[in-house]
Amino acid sequence: MIVNMSYSCGLVGLPNVGKTTIFNILTKSSALAENYPFCTKDSNVGVAVIDDPRVHELQRILRPKSIRRATVKFVDIAGLVKDAHKGEGLGNQFLHYIREVDALAHVLRVFEDERVTHIYGDVNPMRDYEIVRLELILADLDTVTKSLEKFKKEVKAGKTFEPGFIEGLETIKATLEAGKMAIEALNGPRQLKAYAKSLLTGKPFFIILNISESELSEERYVEKLESIITMLAEENIPSVPFCVSIEEMIAEMSPEEKKQTLEEYNMPMSGVDLTCFAGLKALDLITFFTTVSDELSAWTIKANSTALTAAGKIHSDIAKNFVRAEVISYQDFVQLRGELNAKNAGRMRLEGKDYIVQDGDVIRFRFNKAA
Ligand SMILES: Nc1nc2c(ncn2[C@@H]2O[C@H](COP(=O)(O)OP(=O)(O)OP(=O)(O)O)[C@@H](O)[C@H]2O)c(=O)[nH]1
Ligand SMILES: [Mg+2]
């Protein structure tokens, strides 16, 4: 199968909360995940396929020879503990493995199981979140402090930065010192935004709640899960539930059995799909589709991107020699069962370079091949 990278996502959390177990399910890998803290020392890298239900629908209509799905690169790292910045646990040097990822997912242990060691003795997801959040902030503070020292020396030596860059960095530093994430202080010139991408707390993030089946079926646990989701939502932090045993069970099932099982647990999608889509949402990415030479492809771009940007995502030559985009909305494409019918019904639009691509658009790019 041919794949197409959509975004990259680092998994962070305390040791022994299930990061590698979840990573293995997401990426169909078999990295070592054992019941002791600091099992992962370096990093594991793998790829998850975004199983967009719209691809299945389009596949039924188009019957393509091949499908190119969008994918996510996940990076699983060691666990962070309180005072990791002072060298506790494995320290925080391993955070460099996730400096360049697009988004972060915090894995929080919600499941109760006496056999699985919790490094702080009891299960308390909100406390754990705060510990990890603070360690990420302190790691960023160290990075920004060093950068500022370096940049200020460079300014003295005559180097110039975009107006507002150094001041913006000072504001980020003050924000981190106040115990807040860099993402809250990203206003500034383009150079500042580019710099902030390498800051751990400057990245969009979401929470993966590692739950057991009890959190979906036993009243007491259901209430506990709901209260955690509400607490996070009040702080505008998106979260998704992930139940390892259900994911392992449905991995072996036919699509129909899988759908039925998820319905029984009141899950709208699998944990894998919820996770992949949470990343898309956090990064404000939308999907458009193309069909060329019997290949159906799903591509992701930032929301509010133009047709020209979308063309460039496929190939720089298509953007360079762009003539027009023939666009059918996903709803029309499915309702009218394909391109020809949509065209005959007047539902195919001819759009120019500046057209703002909508989520689900099925696009055929016309470009000048001779140029
Ligand atoms: N009961 C139960 N055990 C789980 C669950 N998820 C993970 N575990 C167990 O928890 C232990 C730790 O899992 P890992 O995936 O290695 O945890 P980790 O966060 O990667 O740990 P480090 O690499 O040490 O930071 C393993 O024994 C897993 O089998 C779960 O949902 N329920
Ligand atoms: Mg691990």
Side-chain angles (χ1 to χ4, degrees):
M1 185 178 45
I2 312 160
V3 291
N4 164 21
M5 233 271 275
S6 174
Y7 65 93
S8 56
C9 182
L11 298 173
V12 295
L14 292 185
N16 224 35
V17 294
K19 297 182 298 300
T20 305
T21 306
I22 290 174
F23 167 85
N24 282 340
I25 295 171
L26 287 168
T27 61
K28 298 187 166 59
S29 308
S30 46
L32 193 65
E34 297 284 351
N35 184 13
Y36 55 86
F38 310 117
C39 174
T40 307
K41 290 204 164 48
D42 297 323
S43 68
N44 300 305
V45 179
V47 171
V49 176
I50 304 179
D51 191 17
D52 192 323
R54 293 172 298 185
V55 170
H56 295 275
E57 199 60 44
L58 293 172
Q59 185 182 8
R60 269 194 285 275
I61 298 168
L62 291 161
R63 309 217 161 269
K65 280 212 182 88
S66 61
I67 298 178
R68 184 195 287 250
R69 291 174 202 274
T71 61
V72 185
K73 182 170 104 176
F74 281 99
V75 185
D76 167 44
I77 55 167
L80 270 175
V81 293
K82 190 171 182 310
D83 290 335
H85 67 291
K86 292 183 190 160
E88 282 296 315
L90 295 178
N92 69 3
Q93 293 306 308
F94 56 83
L95 289 174
H96 75 263
Y97 292 115
I98 55 163
R99 287 243 180 261
E100 299 309 321
V101 298
D102 302 310
L104 289 187
H106 289 228
V107 179
L108 297 181
R109 171 172 169 179
V110 179
F111 72 86
E112 312 243 357
D113 185 339
E114 281 171 8
R115 291 164 301 178
V116 179
T117 320
H118 191 297
I119 190 163
Y120 297 118
D122 61 332
V123 176
N124 184 341
M126 294 310 285
R127 172 204 58 197
D128 296 352
Y129 170 65
E130 274 308 317
I131 291 173
V132 171
R133 195 183 77 100
L134 187 61
E135 288 305 320
L136 295 175
I137 288 173
L138 292 168
D140 278 349
L141 184 57
D142 186 47
T143 308
V144 172
T145 306
K146 283 183 183 144
S147 295
L148 266 171
E149 276 170 24
K150 179 170 161 266
F151 295 153
K152 280 180 179 169
K153 263 190 209 148
E154 288 175 351
V155 168
K156 276 198 187 132
K159 186 169 174 182
T160 53
F161 292 94
E162 264 184 56
F165 175 68
I166 300 285
E167 294 78 357
L169 219 49
E170 299 273 18
T171 308
I172 291 180
K173 187 176 172 210
T175 304
L176 294 166
E177 279 167 343
K180 293 186 198 154
M181 300 175 113
I183 201 163
E184 295 190 32
L186 293 191
N187 285 329
R190 193 195 279 263
Q191 207 170 20
L192 187 74
K193 292 200 176 101
Y195 173 88
K197 280 195 178 156
S198 65
L199 292 177
L200 300 163
T201 67
K203 301 176 195 297
F205 71 98
F206 61 97
I207 304 265
I208 299 176
L209 297 164
N210 189 3
I211 60 170
S212 60
E213 288 176 46
S214 310
E215 275 78 34
L216 297 171
S217 55
E218 292 174 44
E219 198 175 347
R220 183 161 72 88
Y221 292 102
V222 172
E223 279 172 15
K224 186 185 77 174
L225 177 64
E226 279 173 359
S227 80
I228 296 166
I229 294 172
T230 308
M231 269 189 274
L232 291 167
E234 277 166 4
E235 294 185 43
N236 284 325
I237 303 169
S239 61
V240 292
F242 196 107
C243 178
V244 169
S245 59
I246 296 179
E247 297 300 312
E248 285 173 346
M249 185 163 62
I250 60 176
E252 310 295 325
M253 289 180 176
S254 69
E256 292 73 31
E257 283 177 313
K258 181 176 160 180
K259 193 163 168 266
Q260 200 182 338
T261 307
L262 289 171
E263 272 167 14
E264 278 165 24
Y265 283 100
N266 249 330
M267 298 265 293
M269 288 183 193
S270 69
V272 171
D273 295 343
L274 285 171
T275 302
C276 292
F277 279 101
L280 287 178
K281 194 153 181 238
L283 287 159
D284 208 15
L285 295 169
I286 59 163
T287 306
F288 69 93
F289 304 99
T290 60
T291 52
V292 180
S293 315
D294 260 348
E295 181 176 78
L296 167 63
S297 306
W299 310 88
T300 61
I301 44 168
K302 279 269 178 210
N304 293 315
S305 293
T306 62
L308 192 66
T309 306
K313 172 88 191 187
I314 301 170
H315 201 290
S316 55
D317 282 351
I318 304 182
K320 205 164 92 193
N321 304 314
F322 184 102
V323 176
R324 64 169 186 268
E326 297 172 356
V327 184
I328 303 169
S329 77
Y330 173 75
Q331 286 77 6
D332 285 344
F333 198 97
V334 171
Q335 254 165 31
L336 296 161
R337 317 293 300 164
E339 187 172 332
L340 194 61
N341 290 345
K343 195 174 176 181
N344 290 339
R347 305 303 294 175
M348 179 196 275
R349 286 172 280 123
L350 304 185
E351 302 282 4
K353 286 178 181 176
D354 297 330
Y355 167 70
I356 301 295
V357 175
Q358 302 297 307
D359 193 30
D361 275 353
V362 183
I363 308 182
R364 187 176 293 283
F365 289 101
R366 297 291 177 193
F367 59 104
N368 198 340
K369 288 180 186 121

